[in-house]
Amino acid sequence: MINRNEFDSLISFLLIHKDSFSLFSQDFEIWKKSQNSFHLHSGIFCEPPILAAYAAEHPDRLLFLIDSYFCLYCLILFQEFFDSDFRHCRFLTDQLSFDWLFQPNFPQNLINDIKNKIRLQDHYSFDKTDDYLGKIYQKTVPKSIRQLRGEFFTPLWLADELSNRTNQSFEDWRLQQQEKANFQNQNRATAEKSFLTKKKVWANSNDWTSPLFSKNEKLNCKNYPKILDPSCGSGVFFLSMIRHWKEKKLSWKDILTLFVGLELNPVSVLMARVNILLELFRDFSIQKRQNAINDLADQYNKTLKPIVPIYLFDTIRNVFLQKEDQSSNFVKDNDFDIILGNPPWLNWDQLSAADRNATKPLWIQYGLFNLSGKEARYGGGKKELAALILYLSADRYLKKDGFLAMVLPQALFQTPKAGEGFRRFLLPGSQEGDFSYLKLIEINDFSKTNPFPDVNSKVATLLLQKSDKPTEFPIPYFISKKATPLREKKWAEPIDQNRKGSPLKISNQKKNPDFFSSSPNIPNCHINPTDSTVTKNIYQSSCSTEKNYCGQKVDPINQDNSNSLNFPNNETASINLTKSSNSDNLGHSGKIDHSYRAQLGANTAGANGVYWLEILEQTSQSLIKVQNCFDVGKKKVELNQAELESELIYPLLRWKDVDEFYADPSSFILIPQDSKTRKGICFERMKEKFPRSLQFLSNYETILKSRAAYQKFQARAVYWSMYNINPLTFAPIKVVWRRMDKILRAAVITTDIFLRKPIIPQETISMIAVESLAEAHYLTAMLNSNEIRNKVESFSVIGSKGFGSPGILSLLAIPRFDPSNHSHLILSQSGQLKWEQKRTAK
């Protein structure tokens, strides 16, 4: 949304030019080419209504006007700051498709309006904690557009902290190399003592802001590090570095040789150039400012090359997008000591088809596409563009032993599938079998501070070094808290040390022993504590690769996605699940694992408003009068009331219905699905046996056919097909928990009293089908224990879609319930007691 109160001049600008588009049609076409990697939003909200109508008809033109207004704002701010002629600052645009702003017939009254507003705002904030132009940009450009571009501007305090820490690591490493080189000419002990007296032991401190060198101390090196930001945005990381360099008394001419910024959006290129010059000369007198700008303008007129080293550049395709001579190599391979940045937060699905095709070889080259089609289909395909930019930048631009620090989605470190390729931290070499490492130094978790109010994703920063040695785990994992510079220090290491790309687990101890083998006490359930001696029989049985089940050997966890239960020695055993009312056979046999497996609940693929029902009355033994929950979900649908066949209606357990130990369904669901074929019941059977339900679904045929999942995976099946429906979905007894939650909270569900049918969880709930209530209560007692919860939190992203996903059970390896095991029975009785207490309270 455009803030009209804050930017009255923007409205004036748009009203003046919306009908005179021919004035800048040529520049508009140039601008459109620069936006070819972005989806232009078709729902820009703005006022007054005349502009809202224009936005609906010409979203690209309106966005061009908004971008142009912001560029005009930057140029006028620059003019006011340097007290120069408006056209004198034309060298800043450097052919960035905004030449029309300098045409003689451009309305002077609009320029005057913006000048007056800037003067009222004191035209520039000298507050060191503020990125002035970045904030103006976020208020001018609609949020929806910035999200489609993946633009989330880094707050200056975070840029300061990240650049400070990266500089410290670089100088520590360089100082250490110098001291090592001196070992040949002096006593080793003397050299080590000299190094340790200079180096503060930062790693053992929780104070993020503690500098390694004092402000007045000269860096002990011949050359300053050269820095690259491959997606620089407003140039906030350079603002932080410029202050550091100015404290070292470097001249502004030298500073302009120490960094390079790359940016795909021409508006951001101009913003970063203006931001940098404002910061570079903010302590100068007016006369010195004018002299410096005259020097820059003269240099530009002679060379026609960018003066401030921020370039319109496609980092991924390695292509300059400016009109200048592209043979000029401004960005050399492996030329940078430090890479800093906050790359765009976009996933594979948000990229255009052209960008997917163009970048796919790079995703494959860096091992970021490493999943089967089925794994990618169910969430593992949510690959982050930020991960690709990190790997590409480190490989292409970073020197050997150079340092890289970036702001990333925290989920990359712990999502089991989507982040697996990213966590390999290997760069392919020029020859087969040749590679180098991205050696992790530390991770900083900002989930609790929320640096980006517009972003729901959790935020973390990563610091690594391009090295010929792998990471030595565990590494420091800092958790920053609100309103304090101190951080909680923990340790991170892969859950499975032998598996490349394994999710990281977080622990309080540097040496974290195996969870199960080190737990001498029973899990601390939120019920009455039990005798500590029962734990050994439960946990020790799950530590080795071959477990004992009732005195027999059991195979390790089967890695396929089969729903069969494997019993020892090929013996056949039934799980004794009652057949559902739709005659699905729920019995199955085979070998049993030592660990449980889970699955997700029923998925309507975005059509909850069609399938979810509210029961009005039961009109006969076989018919129930219902109305659909038309207002649930993102897609609102038409309200309909109808009498439907009761055989297809089941109680529905929604996400909000699940609590600790106990869950109570609040809605109902229509399931016209064949659980054996996992497709919708065929048309002939629906017409013969369920004609009322068929008529009801036909009202929503267009909506159901337009579902993305249906078009992609089941376009040949009937249009009412659903997902995640199999025989286990109809098990009468289940253990369930929320897939997205702050803590793991498991509950038992059984057959519904009203319909006398099994309760069906929705897709945001994970579930396990079990044989008996005793087994269900045993499982909930285990899953709700503090130890299990802490373990889940150590390798899952709290609140994310993968927090309580079915895959967590493969990492927990909870042994199966054994009714002959006294320890299991104690836990089962404890779980049952808590379940009854919760049910009575309801």
Side-chain angles (χ1 to χ4, degrees):
M1 177 177 176
I2 302 170
N3 188 329
R4 187 179 179 187
N5 293 329
E6 183 72 20
F7 293 100
D8 296 330
S9 297
L10 171 60
I11 300 300
S12 302
F13 175 77
L14 299 178
L15 288 173
I16 290 172
H17 289 291
K18 73 179 187 65
D19 294 325
S20 56
F21 210 77
S22 59
L23 175 67
F24 44 82
S25 58
Q26 182 177 355
D27 297 279
F28 170 68
E29 293 302 323
I30 296 173
W31 174 87
K32 282 179 64 176
K33 291 180 181 179
S34 72
Q35 305 294 313
N36 59 1
S37 294
F38 306 126
H39 303 286
L40 294 177
H41 190 52
S42 59
I44 302 175
F45 178 82
C46 59
E47 297 178 355
I50 188 174
L51 285 180
Y54 187 78
E57 186 177 358
H58 303 291
D60 51 355
R61 292 187 178 188
L62 182 62
L63 182 55
F64 173 70
L65 291 173
I66 293 173
D67 279 353
S68 299
Y69 169 83
F70 178 75
C71 290
L72 185 64
Y73 190 98
C74 290
L75 294 172
I76 294 175
L77 175 64
F78 181 87
Q79 174 201 359
E80 289 291 293
F81 182 75
F82 289 96
D83 194 21
S84 61
D85 180 78
F86 177 66
R87 290 173 178 78
H88 187 65
C89 58
R90 187 170 183 172
F91 74 91
L92 285 171
T93 60
D94 196 31
Q95 303 182 34
L96 292 176
S97 78
F98 297 110
D99 291 346
W100 69 280
L101 297 172
F102 299 96
Q103 292 182 10
N105 59 346
F106 190 83
Q108 186 62 38
N109 61 331
L110 180 60
I111 295 177
N112 294 333
D113 288 344
I114 297 177
K115 283 184 178 181
N116 293 334
K117 178 171 285 293
I118 290 174
R119 288 167 181 168
L120 287 175
Q121 295 174 346
D122 199 18
H123 73 74
Y124 183 64
S125 171
F126 293 112
D127 186 355
K128 289 188 177 183
T129 64
D130 199 7
D131 173 14
Y132 181 73
L133 282 179
K135 287 188 174 182
I136 298 294
Y137 182 86
Q138 292 180 79
K139 291 179 179 179
T140 306
V141 179
K143 177 182 175 181
S144 55
I145 298 298
R146 291 186 283 108
Q147 288 178 333
L148 288 172
R149 290 172 170 174
E151 294 177 331
F152 302 103
F153 287 79
T154 310
L156 193 53
W157 64 265
L158 181 56
D160 283 339
E161 293 178 351
L162 194 59
S163 60
N164 180 45
R165 179 61 188 130
T166 309
N167 266 316
Q168 291 174 17
S169 296
F170 177 80
E171 297 308 329
D172 280 354
W173 172 81
R174 181 144 59 181
L175 181 60
Q176 190 174 21
Q177 299 306 307
Q178 291 175 351
E179 295 295 343
K180 285 183 179 180
N182 293 333
F183 281 172
Q184 297 179 352
N185 301 322
Q186 58 178 297
N187 180 271
R188 181 183 180 90
T190 303
E192 288 181 346
K193 183 177 179 181
S194 172
F195 171 73
L196 292 175
T197 54
K198 284 190 174 184
K199 182 182 184 300
K200 294 184 178 179
V201 188
W202 183 92
N204 293 327
S205 169
N206 290 337
D207 186 358
W208 172 281
T209 59
S210 176
L212 179 61
F213 297 95
S214 66
K215 291 185 176 181
N216 296 323
E217 183 181 354
K218 288 282 187 179
L219 291 179
N220 185 22
C221 59
K222 295 180 180 179
N223 301 310
Y224 284 80
K226 192 171 182 180
I227 296 176
L228 172 73
D229 185 342
S231 52
C232 67
S234 64
V236 66
F237 286 99
F238 298 137
L239 301 185
S240 177
M241 293 304 305
I242 287 171
R243 292 167 187 166
H244 170 76
W245 288 322
K246 287 168 70 175
E247 290 170 352
K248 302 300 177 183
K249 310 301 182 185
L250 287 180
S251 69
W252 64 266
K253 292 183 179 180
D254 289 335
I255 289 176
L256 288 176
T257 65
L258 293 179
F259 65 90
V260 170
L262 308 177
E263 176 56 50
L264 188 61
N265 185 357
V267 179
S268 296
V269 173
L270 176 61
M271 171 171 49
R273 289 173 177 173
V274 173
N275 238 354
I276 286 168
L277 291 180
L278 293 176
E279 179 59 39
L280 201 58
F281 301 119
R282 67 182 178 85
D283 296 324
F284 283 32
S285 65
I286 290 294
Q287 186 61 48
K288 287 185 176 180
R289 291 179 195 172
Q290 292 177 338
N291 293 338
I293 292 304
N294 289 334
D295 288 346
L296 291 174
D298 290 342
Q299 184 179 347
Y300 172 76
N301 292 331
K302 291 177 182 178
T303 63
L304 296 180
K305 303 295 182 184
I307 303 303
V308 182
I310 306 294
Y311 304 113
L312 186 59
F313 186 83
D314 189 331
T315 301
I316 295 177
R317 294 184 176 90
N318 197 27
V319 173
F320 280 95
L321 303 176
Q322 291 166 275
K323 299 177 183 177
E324 75 254 355
D325 180 10
Q326 296 191 17
S327 64
S328 302
N329 191 2
F330 297 106
V331 186
K332 298 180 181 178
D333 291 348
N334 307 119
D335 191 40
F336 296 91
D337 302 290
I338 291 175
I339 293 180
L340 294 169
N342 178 10
W345 288 24
L346 294 171
N347 62 48
W348 172 263
D349 293 340
Q350 293 174 287
L351 299 178
S352 66
D355 284 343
R356 291 180 190 176
N357 293 331
T359 62
K360 188 174 181 179
L362 291 172
W363 294 88
I364 296 174
Q365 175 185 345
Y366 292 111
L368 299 176
F369 271 3
N370 61 329
L371 302 178
S372 66
K374 186 173 183 180
E375 290 173 323
R377 181 184 305 173
Y378 292 105
K382 298 294 184 182
K383 301 298 185 184
E384 287 284 348
L385 184 64
L388 176 61
I389 292 179
L390 183 147
Y391 269 78
L392 189 147
S393 301
D395 184 31
R396 184 179 292 166
Y397 306 121
L398 191 62
K399 290 180 180 178
K400 183 181 179 299
D401 296 319
F403 288 81
L404 180 147
M406 284 189 175
V407 183
L408 300 169
Q410 194 267 348
L412 278 173
F413 302 106
Q414 292 181 304
T415 46
K417 291 297 182 182
E420 185 174 331
F422 169 78
R423 292 187 297 267
R424 294 167 63 89
F425 296 111
L426 284 174
L427 292 175
S430 56
Q431 299 180 356
E432 185 175 355
D434 184 22
F435 56 86
S436 56
Y437 295 97
L438 297 178
K439 183 178 179 180
L440 292 178
I441 298 174
E442 68 184 36
I443 298 171
N444 291 273
D445 188 334
F446 292 92
S447 301
K448 296 182 180 180
T449 58
N450 192 21
F452 305 103
D454 292 343
V455 184
N456 294 325
S457 302
K458 307 296 183 183
V459 179
T461 62
L462 171 70
L463 177 61
L464 55 80
Q465 184 179 26
K466 188 176 181 180
S467 175
D468 55 4
K469 297 180 180 179
T471 304
E472 297 178 4
F473 289 103
I475 62 167
Y477 188 97
F478 296 97
I479 300 177
S480 296
K481 299 182 178 180
K482 293 182 178 180
T484 174
L486 297 180
R487 301 172 300 161
E488 181 181 2
K489 186 176 183 180
K490 295 191 176 185
W491 300 90
E493 60 183 339
I495 293 174
D496 185 350
Q497 297 281 359
N498 298 319
R499 175 180 148 206
K500 292 181 179 179
S502 175
L504 300 182
K505 63 179 178 181
I506 316 302
S507 60
N508 293 319
Q509 299 177 357
K510 185 172 183 179
K511 298 297 182 181
N512 188 32
D514 182 84
F515 171 70
F516 290 113
S517 63
S518 64
S519 300
N521 300 314
I522 194 164
N524 180 20
C525 299
H526 294 270
I527 49 180
N528 50 329
T530 346
D531 188 352
S532 62
T533 59
V534 294
T535 303
K536 295 181 181 179
N537 295 330
I538 299 176
Y539 283 161
Q540 289 181 355
S541 66
S542 61
C543 297
S544 62
T545 57
E546 289 190 339
K547 313 298 179 188
N548 285 322
Y549 182 82
C550 298
Q552 302 182 36
K553 286 187 177 180
V554 179
D555 295 334
I557 299 176
N558 190 356
Q559 295 301 323
D560 64 21
N561 292 319
S562 171
N563 288 312
S564 62
L565 300 179
N566 299 322
F567 283 82
N569 297 339
N570 296 318
E571 294 179 355
T572 302
S574 173
I575 198 171
N576 296 326
L577 295 178
T578 306
K579 292 183 180 181
S580 67
S581 57
N582 64 355
S583 301
D584 285 319
N585 184 3
L586 301 181
H588 45 275
S589 62
K591 290 184 177 181
I592 191 167
D593 292 332
H594 71 276
S595 174
Y596 287 94
R597 289 206 190 98
Q599 67 180 50
L600 295 177
N603 189 349
T604 68
N608 290 344
V610 175
Y611 294 96
W612 290 12
L613 306 173
E614 177 186 349
I615 290 183
L616 301 179
E617 62 176 315
Q618 184 160 3
T619 56
S620 69
Q621 187 174 359
S622 61
L623 296 177
I624 298 178
K625 186 176 182 180
V626 301
Q627 69 178 24
N628 60 310
C629 301
F630 66 96
D631 57 348
V632 300
K634 295 181 179 179
K635 293 182 179 179
K636 304 301 185 288
V637 299
E638 181 184 354
L639 172 65
N640 274 297
Q641 293 186 0
E643 289 185 340
L644 305 182
E645 294 82 3
S646 60
E647 189 172 347
L648 298 183
I649 299 175
Y650 292 83
L652 172 67
L653 188 73
R654 299 169 63 173
W655 183 90
K656 66 177 184 178
D657 302 333
V658 179
D659 200 356
E660 196 176 50
F661 289 98
Y662 184 76
D664 189 21
S666 62
S667 302
F668 297 87
I669 185 172
L670 178 69
I671 304 185
Q673 188 83 354
D674 188 329
S675 63
K676 296 177 183 178
T677 64
R678 301 197 179 189
K679 296 180 180 179
I681 298 173
C682 66
F683 179 81
E684 291 76 13
R685 186 184 175 195
M686 285 289 290
K687 185 177 180 180
E688 177 186 354
K689 196 172 182 179
F690 310 110
R692 294 175 179 268
S693 297
L694 178 61
Q695 177 60 39
F696 173 81
L697 291 168
S698 66
N699 296 325
Y700 304 102
E701 181 176 355
T702 302
I703 294 174
L704 296 179
K705 285 184 176 180
S706 66
R707 293 176 296 169
Y710 172 76
Q711 293 179 353
K712 188 173 183 179
F713 303 123
Q714 290 193 350
R716 295 184 179 180
V718 291
Y719 63 81
W720 51 81
S721 296
M722 301 170 68
Y723 303 87
N724 295 355
I725 306 289
N726 59 50
L728 294 182
T729 306
F730 301 98
I733 304 173
K734 308 181 189 75
V735 173
V736 297
W737 63 90
R738 294 172 174 175
R739 180 161 59 97
M740 297 169 285
D741 211 340
K742 294 181 179 179
I743 62 170
L744 188 69
R745 53 187 112 198
V748 176
I749 56 174
T750 60
T751 302
D752 178 67
I753 298 175
F754 175 67
L755 291 180
R756 298 186 182 276
K757 284 188 174 184
I759 299 171
I760 308 300
Q762 73 167 116
E763 81 284 353
T764 56
I765 296 173
S766 297
M767 54 158 277
I768 306 174
V770 296
E771 293 186 21
S772 65
L773 278 174
E775 182 178 17
H777 294 313
Y778 156 79
L779 261 179
T780 55
M782 291 286 289
L783 291 170
N784 289 332
S785 67
N786 287 334
E787 283 79 3
I788 293 290
R789 284 174 170 173
N790 291 337
K791 185 171 178 65
V792 171
E793 291 177 10
S794 73
F795 56 69
S796 295
V797 181
I798 295 175
S800 71
K801 293 182 179 180
F803 173 76
S805 64
I808 66 171
L809 288 187
S810 65
L811 303 174
L812 295 175
I814 298 175
R816 287 194 173 273
F817 176 68
D818 180 3
S820 65
N821 188 317
H822 178 67
S823 306
H824 291 202
L825 290 177
I826 291 177
L827 280 179
S828 178
Q829 292 168 5
S830 300
Q832 182 180 2
L833 175 63
K834 194 68 176 180
W835 179 70
E836 291 176 348
Q837 291 174 348
K838 288 291 187 76
R839 184 176 62 170
T840 303
K842 290 282 185 179

